[in-house]
Amino acid sequence: MNKVVAKKNNGSAAVAIMKSFENVSTGFEDMGADDLQLPRLKLLQAMSPEIENDESLYHKTYVEWAPVGSGAKGPVAVHQSKSVMDDTVRGEDNKFYKNDNSGNYIEETANYFVLIVGENGETSQAVISMKSSQLTPSRNWNSKMKNLKIKNSSGIYFTPPMWSHIYTLKSEKAKNGDKTWYKWKIEVDSMLTEDAHVQEASSFSDEMGQAKDKLVPEQDESKSSEVPF
């Protein structure tokens, strides 16, 4: 009898959580077709150790930087529209330079506001910025999130908000010629089942949705971190 009651309670909780995913901001509002990538089937030979699990909210920016070593602190500007890339020229270093002789360059940056979930269910807030060679993993992640479907209370499939699921973030080594680097690898873990996580993720999504334009990017000063596209 106790087992039957427990199953009914768990089912009711799951239904309540799924209802909280309906008729809310999904996190995909700022995402266009160029932020997605169709999945490819391939054989993975190895997988690196797990780093963290998290839930996310997405925001794309186009950050304008002064030349590295110029002494400028912080970005020159943070553009919200991809149209700023229309007047850039790609340099030999793979950076996209403004076509005005200023030496400034634009970095397309995918930002993910995430809740990191620890082993005991504790959470912490963070931001993950992906740019340059990390934009391909970013598009893969976006596609995984947007392709998820769950049934609503009426039995109809719909795309839940980004923060409805937990994802496992790993790193894997990439190579191009004699250059190697690590890139993100993201896999779907599971849908949220803890009410506390649902409430925090929803609240954090709303907060970051209002504050995302105030995010201050960090410039990568190290040329050794530059990798081929």
Side-chain angles (χ1 to χ4, degrees):
M1 181 64 70
N2 290 336
K3 291 184 178 179
V4 174
V5 172
K7 288 183 179 179
K8 287 185 177 179
N9 287 339
N10 290 339
S12 298
V15 170
I17 287 175
M18 291 183 67
K19 283 186 176 180
S20 69
F21 298 154
E22 301 178 37
N23 303 314
V24 296
S25 175
T26 63
F28 298 110
E29 286 77 11
D30 291 339
M31 193 179 295
D34 59 330
D35 297 315
L36 303 172
Q37 179 168 304
L38 292 176
R40 295 175 182 270
L41 295 179
K42 60 181 180 180
L43 180 63
L44 297 180
Q45 302 297 335
M47 188 170 288
S48 53
E50 177 179 329
I51 297 180
E52 296 286 0
N53 289 335
D54 67 41
E55 307 135 20
S56 68
L57 167 71
Y58 177 83
H59 179 50
K60 174 72 74 66
T61 56
Y62 301 84
V63 186
E64 180 176 345
W65 298 101
V68 174
S70 65
K73 295 183 178 180
V76 175
V78 179
H79 305 277
Q80 305 299 324
S81 172
K82 188 178 181 179
S83 61
V84 70
M85 301 295 291
D86 294 341
D87 195 29
T88 62
V89 177
R90 187 169 182 171
E92 294 181 357
D93 57 2
N94 286 323
K95 285 184 168 63
F96 289 85
Y97 290 89
K98 292 192 67 176
N99 195 24
D100 60 2
N101 297 318
S102 66
N104 293 352
Y105 62 95
I106 307 292
E107 280 189 327
E108 181 179 353
T109 306
N111 301 298
Y112 297 86
F113 299 94
V114 302
L115 290 179
I116 300 173
V117 182
E119 293 182 358
N120 298 316
E122 71 278 11
T123 60
S124 58
Q125 300 176 354
V127 60
I128 299 174
S129 294
M130 298 186 187
K131 56 189 178 182
S132 185
S133 62
Q134 302 297 338
L135 288 174
T136 295
S138 168
R139 288 188 286 269
N140 285 332
W141 189 7
N142 293 342
S143 295
K144 284 183 172 70
M145 290 190 286
K146 198 164 186 180
N147 285 333
L148 285 175
K149 296 291 186 293
I150 62 176
K151 286 184 178 180
N152 63 16
S153 54
S154 300
I156 300 174
Y157 282 99
F158 72 104
T159 300
M162 287 182 173
W163 50 263
S164 65
H165 281 67
I166 295 176
Y167 299 85
T168 300
L169 275 65
K170 304 178 181 182
S171 63
E172 62 179 0
K173 184 177 290 187
K175 184 175 182 179
N176 188 345
D178 60 348
K179 294 184 178 181
T180 61
W181 68 98
Y182 286 92
K183 64 180 181 179
W184 288 105
K185 182 175 178 62
I186 298 96
E187 299 291 350
V188 181
D189 186 306
S190 60
M191 193 179 80
L192 292 181
T193 57
E194 297 290 336
D195 186 62
H197 290 167
V198 172
Q199 296 304 318
E200 183 177 2
S202 177
S203 177
F204 185 49
S205 176
D206 289 340
E207 292 173 5
M208 292 301 98
Q210 298 176 20
K212 60 188 179 184
D213 294 344
K214 299 179 181 179
L215 175 67
V216 179
E218 293 183 354
Q219 186 175 29
D220 187 354
E221 295 284 347
S222 173
K223 291 185 178 180
S224 63
S225 66
E226 294 175 5
V227 293
F229 283 69

